Amino acid sequence: MPKDGGIGASSKRREDVRFLTGRGRYTDDININNQTYVHFLRSDVAHATIKGIDTAAASEMPGVVRIFTGADFEGIGSIPCGWQVTDRHGEPMQEPAHPVLAQGKVRHVGDPICAVVADTLEQARDAAEAIELDLEELPAVVDMKAAVQDGATKVHDDLTSNLCYDWGFVEENREAVDEAIKSAAHVTTLELVNNRLVANPMEPRVAVGDWNAGTDDYTLYTTSQNPHVIRLLMGAFVLGIPEHKLRVVAPDVGGGFGTKIFHYAEEAFCTFAAKQVGRPVKWTSSRSEAFMSDAHGRDHVTKIELAMDADNNFTALRTETYANMGAYLSTFAPSIPTWLHGTLMAGNYKTPLIYVNVKAVFTNTVPVDAYRGAGRPEATFQLERVVDKAARELGVDPIELRRQNFITEFPYATPVAVEYDTGDYNATMDKLAEIGDLSGFEARLAESKKRGKLRGLGVNCYIEACGIAPSNLVGQLGARAGLYESATVRVNATGSISVMTGSHSHGQGHETAFPQVIAEMIGIDESQVEIVHGDTATSPMGMGTYGSRSLAVGGSAMVRAAEKVINKAKKIASHLLEASEADIELKDGQFTVAGTDKSVAWGDVTLAAYVPHNYPLEEIEPGLEETAFYDPNNFTYPSGAYCCEVEVDPETGKVTIESFAAADDFGNIVNPMIVSGQVHGGIAQGVGQALLENCSYDENGQILSASYMDYAMPRADDVPFYSVDHSCQTPCTHNPLGVKGCGEAGAIGSPPSVVNAVVDALQRAGHDVTHIDMPLTPGKVWAAMNG
């Protein structure tokens, strides 16, 4: 029977009431008295020298308060990068400056040149049109491989080349991997592209900067996944504002998918300009701006080689990847194709030798950073595509080839420096066969043939690493911030609880799932617990939400803080019950003396904490509030097996997804309904990447897909009803909840399932097609079938 509440119950998302009734409070809903509006004049060319900016006429236009250029930010810090990668030769990456407004050059279409602050947005836009720019256009560098050739135009004149870093991992394995591939019985090679994506959350980015002249305090309201990190990066490294003078508030946020992790120039500008003009400054991105100013995702070009022995055991894996950084280094960009990608190249398999080479390249394009999955989808896609191709070359069942090479004993130390603590990959594959009805495929194939359609089945596995940790290790790997999480549990006198967390909710359901954990621990109703987040003035310093870390890291901090609260409450209860503290037990909201019928209710103990008449103050101070910081000692490792069935129209090349099944191992589950919703959303985004989405540039650096007219997003009729299951649970061994993280799994596991299915359909129909790069549009598929 389903639980009514607490851990394991599918409690309805309480936050949805305000969202579905239009009562959410988003950053764009915030308007401050006497506020101004800013419009950014952005570059319409990818690469140019700024010869002159004439703002004289624009400055005299109605409503204009002030026009800012890069000159106003001389002496102001650069937008910082939060992760430094060291290359395979031991040298630090090349790290160019990233000014708030362009200085000297523009380096991508959308690079902000001027900012017009006016009384109304319309006045700011009108004035921007009157600004005269003198730009001397330069050759644009768009293709990554061309960008690193000798003589290529440099994106940044002060760097030695367009190569940010040349990373090898594990470098000590390189010669052994090369030798294993040379001597292998069979080697499968695949070259592929992981297409560039634009996150397109429902809510665009917004920033509102405010400054208090009386106290010299700054407040930034912003659409952020991690307000404390924004305060640290912007305050300390860009504007030089002490943290106690800077408050960052991220209210309700309408989706992020990674793109709202990073510190952006617009946030720094609005905060800086608010003091300069003495009035609040507001910016709301248009959808067109978002395409050329939000960080993009993916954009890898990879060659992967898988070596096998005569018995089809995997013996070695080698990859070479070109990873696009864009024109500047976004906050976590260097870590995505390296530590979040290379360390996952073992996948679910016991391949003994692995070498990963990544060349990160600057181009005249929008910066690239984390997008749902962030490095893990790129690793999974290339690995699962090459395994599928290998099975077809060898003439063996793709599922059986995977099973033969599965890791089966845990903990398992991979050759790429991570240790999986738990997992059962055969169990998830067994569950997939059941919920995906794999045994019935041949009948469905025959039915499709009768209707003149090609049908294919694609299967793949995935593993990901969530809750990046621990801080001391990632610090050695280049992280410039800790990766712990925090929580303060404040118990009110009447027993209700406020939990202040550094984790941020922007669609994950924290306001529902987190109370389930606390309510379970204490034995009270979930409605007695509220979650407070998104404001640096009210929550302890925390690292925010990304990388499927909220429950594994943020939830663990809550557990630790709640344990401190319970321990203190037991001390108070022991005095009230005149018993030894060691004999006090807490269950179902009652403190009892073990082996007796003596008890006192949770609410009576919490009231006594604030009305301390019955216990010695010299032993127990009044109040009931505790804070904890939790820094994991390892990643968590969710895993799963996915399958997709497609039909392909041989006349047009159109692909239709007929069914999709996902069997995931997320460890312990707090709210099954929320978990299913997360998987559904991730699969939809993965399907979007596989079939529809692609951010493309021409040779001049112009974005060819900068609106929904050209950038195809998945719609309801592009995806089927999903069969999802998360009953295969091998709990994480190193966090108190035994949870692993679920937010990115769907986006990691789905793209290779779709591509594998399409290739399978074409090969079953006799077409000699081994790979098609994403997105698999009708035109691409038709062309593959027709040579």
Side-chain angles (χ1 to χ4, degrees), residues 392-413:
R392 298 182 191 283
E393 290 177 352
L394 295 167
V396 299
D397 185 325
I399 293 177
E400 292 310 310
L401 181 62
R402 288 175 167 88
R403 285 188 186 272
Q404 176 181 335
N405 287 280
F406 275 163
I407 297 162
T408 56
E409 296 181 3
F410 296 88
Y412 179 82

Side-chain angles (χ1 to χ4, degrees), residues 441-737:
F441 173 73
E442 292 299 329
R444 296 188 292 275
L445 174 64
E447 178 60 29
S448 295
K449 286 182 178 178
K450 290 179 183 178
R451 293 184 285 105
K453 298 297 175 67
L454 314 183
R455 195 177 190 100
L457 170 65
V459 175
N460 71 277
C461 304
Y462 79 89
I463 190 166
E464 68 163 318
C466 303
I468 308 170
S471 292
N472 60 355
L473 172 62
V474 297
Q476 295 171 33
L477 303 181
R480 290 166 169 166
L483 290 170
Y484 54 83
E485 198 45 82
S486 63
T488 296
V489 175
R490 176 180 298 159
V491 183
N492 300 310
T494 55
S496 63
I497 298 174
S498 296
V499 180
M500 283 68 76
T501 173
S503 298
H504 186 276
S505 183
H506 39 277
Q508 292 84 356
H510 292 176
E511 293 173 38
T512 301
F514 287 165
Q516 290 180 246
V517 173
I518 302 298
E520 177 91 4
M521 294 179 69
I522 296 170
I524 59 176
D525 193 88
E526 297 164 19
S527 64
Q528 292 293 99
V529 184
E530 72 161 348
I531 304 299
V532 180
H533 67 93
D535 187 341
T536 60
T538 59
S539 62
M541 175 72 175
M543 292 295 104
T545 294
Y546 45 84
S548 303
R549 73 192 303 268
S550 295
L551 194 58
V553 187
S556 294
M558 290 180 197
V559 169
R560 294 295 184 235
E563 288 172 344
K564 292 182 182 180
V565 164
I566 291 169
N567 288 338
K568 182 176 179 181
K570 283 183 176 180
K571 290 182 180 180
I572 297 172
S574 71
H575 285 280
L576 298 180
L577 294 169
E578 298 180 333
S580 169
E581 181 185 335
D583 293 332
I584 301 298
E585 298 175 345
L586 174 61
K587 184 178 181 182
D588 298 330
Q590 293 283 328
F591 292 93
T592 60
V593 180
T596 76
D597 60 357
K598 296 174 64 177
S599 68
V600 62
W602 168 259
D604 293 330
V605 172
T606 61
L607 182 62
Y610 291 93
V611 186
H613 294 166
N614 298 304
Y615 59 85
L617 294 177
E618 66 272 13
E619 295 181 18
I620 308 172
E621 64 183 28
L624 200 52
E625 177 177 324
E626 298 288 348
T627 296
F629 288 78
Y630 180 79
D631 199 330
N633 59 24
N634 193 3
F635 296 95
T636 66
Y637 298 98
S639 60
Y642 286 13
C643 71
C644 175
E645 287 188 32
V646 301
E647 278 192 346
V648 179
D649 186 331
E651 300 298 322
T652 65
K654 179 174 174 54
V655 176
T656 303
I657 296 180
E658 296 297 311
S659 67
F660 199 105
D664 295 289
D665 175 3
F666 296 134
N668 293 334
I669 303 293
V670 170
N671 187 309
M673 179 189 67
I674 288 177
V675 168
S676 294
Q678 287 289 311
V679 175
H680 288 183
I683 293 172
Q685 287 183 276
V687 168
Q689 176 175 15
L691 296 181
L692 299 160
E693 299 181 51
N694 188 45
C695 181
S696 60
Y697 284 82
D698 70 11
E699 65 277 10
N700 298 313
Q702 293 292 330
I703 308 178
L704 301 178
S705 48
S707 76
Y708 290 147
M709 293 294 290
D710 306 296
Y711 188 95
M713 296 282 285
R715 299 182 294 184
D717 60 355
D718 292 311
V719 295
F721 287 98
Y722 312 113
S723 298
V724 301
D725 179 273
H726 31 76
S727 63
C728 299
Q729 297 175 11
T730 60
C732 175
T733 60
H734 54 78
N735 68 55
L737 289 167

Side-chain angles (χ1 to χ4, degrees), residues 140-155:
V141 181
V142 178
D143 179 84
M144 286 187 281
K145 292 184 179 180
V148 295
Q149 297 300 312
D150 291 340
T153 300
K154 289 195 290 186
V155 178

